[in-house]
Amino acid sequence: MWVYILKRLLLMVPTLLGVLLITFVVIQFVPGGPVEQYLAEARAGQGTGAEGGGLAYRGAQGVDPQRLEQIKALYGFDKPAHERFFQMLVQFAQFDLGTSFFQNKAVSELVWEKLPVSISLGLWTFFISYAVAVPLGVAKAVRAGSRFDLVTTLLVLVGYAIPGFVLGVALLVIFGGQLQWFPLRGLTSANWEELSWGARIIDYLWHITLPVTAMVLGSFAVTAMLTKNAFLEEIRKQYVLTARAKGLSDRQVLWKHVFRNALIPIITGFPAAFIGAFFAGSLLIETLFSLDGLGLLSYESVIRRDYPVVLGTLYLFTLIGLVTKLISDLCYVWVDPRVKFD
């Protein structure tokens, strides 16, 4: 096992390098880099704009060359691209994610500030999705082909087909605007610090209901159908017939034998689903409900060409994703002894 883990850890290095290299090369050719944006803001009062690509800096026409060099040095563009890339790799190896161009804060500090919002959305989405999907999948498998199975399948697929952002808009208009049952924005109220602990919990749950609902309804469809199919596959196997022939009740067969084997593909997907709930799919929800989380941070950094934030968060999320994938693969062996590393 340790040899397998070591091999996977070593394979993470070229994967990380490849992701960072491709992204670094692409952003060198994206127009409207930080230097151009700085010059555009400086010229805004004069009614002139900046244009051009990330390498030529055509937006610097008419600017004093010495001043232009100072601006390039400010953002680190006075060095060749390959030198900047290797300097970035050295920093990342020391888990130094750099400093934001426009917010004058360390990228790690920005991520830490935005993390509570993403954790709130991610944890609730993950736990509610699995708490609903697994029992629903078991019930559908036991009643396969019945009216309950057909109706719930239709509802699950409809919920899966509706984009979370569209559902969020509908929830916001109906329950936040017309009925005014829930707040329109934010994770807490303005007077949250003045509330008691009980009132804080209620206020937090009041604010988080609509965004979590918008994220959950489409996320548990795959898990529910996977649970149903896994249970159906196990129910049809020979050991189930043998257990029933020995006199075991259907309840004993289902929860003592089928349940453990059918949950193998679901349990092994826990790590990836748990991490993915934090970092994936929440950008539009965060924007819609004015929640300042990691998704919104990543989007704004791309729009503003804040390259340290773009590359720093990319490095962090890619590393977390690779480690999570390794944990998912290890779970197969821990859950099912029949699976071997070799």
Side-chain angles (χ1 to χ4, degrees):
M1 180 179 72
W2 295 110
V3 175
Y4 174 80
I5 294 176
L6 180 60
K7 289 180 179 179
R8 290 292 300 273
L9 292 175
L10 292 177
L11 284 173
M12 290 181 186
V13 177
T15 304
L16 271 173
L17 290 176
V19 171
L20 292 174
L21 177 61
I22 293 174
T23 307
F24 185 85
V25 171
V26 169
I27 65 176
Q28 302 307 305
F29 297 95
V30 175
V35 174
E36 287 92 337
Q37 293 201 19
Y38 182 93
L39 294 173
E41 293 175 2
R43 293 178 173 185
Q46 303 174 3
T48 58
E51 56 181 334
L55 292 179
Y57 297 113
R58 288 175 292 175
Q61 294 175 356
V63 179
D64 180 59
Q66 184 177 359
R67 178 58 177 163
L68 179 60
E69 292 301 323
Q70 292 176 352
I71 298 173
K72 289 184 179 181
L74 176 65
Y75 293 113
F77 287 97
D78 57 330
K79 302 175 182 177
H82 67 278
E83 186 176 338
R84 285 186 280 120
F85 178 72
F86 285 110
Q87 181 180 356
M88 179 190 70
L89 293 181
V90 172
Q91 290 180 337
F92 285 176
Q94 301 171 359
F95 288 94
D96 178 9
L97 303 182
T99 304
S100 171
F101 284 158
F102 300 102
Q103 302 190 48
N104 290 326
K105 286 185 177 181
V107 176
S108 56
E109 183 180 349
L110 288 173
V111 171
W112 185 256
E113 289 177 357
K114 313 299 183 184
L115 199 57
V117 172
S118 296
I119 287 179
S120 296
L121 293 175
L123 281 178
W124 285 112
T125 301
F126 174 79
F127 286 118
I128 293 177
S129 297
Y130 272 86
V132 173
V134 174
L136 178 61
V138 175
K140 288 173 63 61
V142 174
R143 300 173 178 83
S146 65
R147 180 177 299 178
F148 171 82
D149 182 31
L150 296 177
V151 172
T152 53
T153 298
L154 177 62
L155 294 176
V156 165
L157 294 179
V158 169
Y160 181 72
I162 299 176
F165 181 76
V166 175
L167 181 60
V169 171
L171 293 175
L172 202 60
V173 171
I174 297 173
F175 296 101
Q178 296 179 354
L179 300 177
Q180 297 184 357
W181 289 355
F182 296 95
L184 297 176
R185 57 183 298 151
L187 200 59
T188 56
S189 298
N191 62 337
W192 191 79
E193 295 291 341
E194 304 172 2
L195 301 176
S196 63
W197 281 106
R200 287 183 180 183
I201 294 175
I202 295 175
D203 181 74
Y204 165 75
L205 295 176
W206 184 46
H207 280 77
I208 205 69
T209 299
L210 291 185
V212 168
T213 302
M215 294 183 65
V216 163
L217 286 183
S219 63
F220 69 83
V222 175
T223 306
M225 299 307 294
L226 177 63
T227 303
K228 173 192 173 182
N229 294 334
F231 269 79
L232 284 177
E233 183 180 355
E234 293 297 324
I235 289 174
R236 295 164 181 166
K237 289 186 177 180
Q238 184 64 38
Y239 74 87
V240 175
L241 297 177
T242 304
R244 287 173 176 169
K246 290 182 178 180
L248 295 179
S249 64
D250 290 340
R251 185 180 183 87
Q252 289 177 315
V253 172
L254 179 64
W255 296 108
K256 187 176 180 181
H257 298 280
V258 176
F259 187 79
R260 182 178 61 182
N261 294 326
L263 283 186
I264 289 176
I266 301 171
I267 293 176
T268 52
F270 268 16
F274 186 75
I275 299 299
F278 295 139
F279 304 118
S282 61
L283 168 60
L284 296 177
I285 299 299
E286 289 179 9
T287 304
L288 179 63
F289 291 94
S290 300
L291 302 175
D292 194 9
L294 292 175
L296 193 58
L297 172 66
S298 301
Y299 172 75
E300 290 179 346
S301 63
V302 172
I303 295 299
R304 300 187 66 183
R305 307 296 191 267
D306 199 345
Y307 296 150
V309 179
V310 173
L311 292 168
T313 53
L314 176 69
Y315 167 75
L316 181 62
F317 296 164
T318 304
L319 183 61
I320 292 175
L322 292 173
V323 173
T324 302
K325 181 60 178 175
L326 174 59
I327 295 175
S328 299
D329 292 342
L330 293 176
C331 285
Y332 278 104
V333 179
W334 295 334
V335 174
D336 189 355
R338 295 171 298 178
V339 179
K340 302 299 180 182
F341 284 110
D342 51 356

